[in-house]
Amino acid sequence: MRDTRSVMGLLGALVVASAALFVAGPAQAAPRETAGHVHVLPAAPAGATARSAAAVSPTSSPAVRTAHGNPGDPYTCASGTLCAVVWDPTTGDYKQFFFYNCARYYLSDWNGTGNFYDAQTGGVTSYFYGQSGNVLRSFTPDFTNHDQDWGPVWSIRNC
């Protein structure tokens, strides 16, 4: 009887261990960002300096996930996201913004040129607004990297 319990216990432990490996497999999958579209950051803007003590970093309100990258570096725009790239004079590289949740985002200190890529799903229309709330640009996802002068853009609605 004791041998039967030992064998049953060993089999039970093997089943649990096998199930744990099977369940843990998908959890180890690549992060969400790799499921998107890979792009290359543009060349630095003309006259850009490495760092400026008086400069202010670009931000959005509400805040979104951001990352930094050097000109020529690859970055990934995940499916379902509107991605925008703007020069950050405080770090001397590009700051990438990943607008995922449907909202109107107000921009601060977005100057110069950069680009955007719309990898959203569901046929949404996005808008860039000027200082007075006027629509500067409206677009739907076309899976194309677009150059953008951020100076006149004061807010973004990604839906």
Side-chain angles (χ1 to χ4, degrees):
M1 184 76 167
R2 186 173 180 166
D3 288 336
T4 303
R5 280 191 247 164
S6 295
V7 170
M8 294 299 285
L10 180 61
L11 286 175
L14 285 173
V15 167
V16 168
S18 297
L21 287 174
F22 178 76
V23 170
Q28 299 299 322
R32 182 183 140 164
E33 288 74 28
T34 60
H37 308 271
V38 177
H39 304 279
V40 176
L41 292 171
T49 57
R51 289 184 174 86
S52 173
V56 179
S57 183
T59 60
S60 72
S61 179
V64 297
R65 187 175 72 81
T66 63
H68 281 267
N70 292 312
D73 284 354
Y75 76 96
T76 302
C77 185
S79 180
T81 306
L82 171 61
C83 300
V85 173
V86 61
W87 186 257
D88 186 344
T90 65
T91 57
D93 62 9
Y94 281 103
K95 189 170 185 179
Q96 305 140 37
F97 289 78
F98 304 97
F99 299 101
Y100 181 76
N101 293 323
C102 175
R104 186 159 180 177
Y105 297 90
Y106 294 89
L107 312 179
S108 295
D109 301 301
W110 286 50
N111 299 304
T113 58
N115 60 40
F116 70 92
Y117 183 88
D118 192 353
Q120 296 181 96
T121 57
V124 299
T125 300
S126 297
Y127 301 90
F128 292 168
Y129 298 97
Q131 183 176 10
S132 65
N134 56 311
V135 174
L136 298 173
R137 185 175 201 160
S138 64
F139 53 92
T140 56
D142 64 359
F143 305 101
T144 301
N145 211 22
H146 297 275
D147 292 335
Q148 179 64 42
D149 176 8
W150 294 114
V153 181
W154 286 61
S155 64
I156 293 173
R157 176 176 279 290
N158 64 326
C159 56

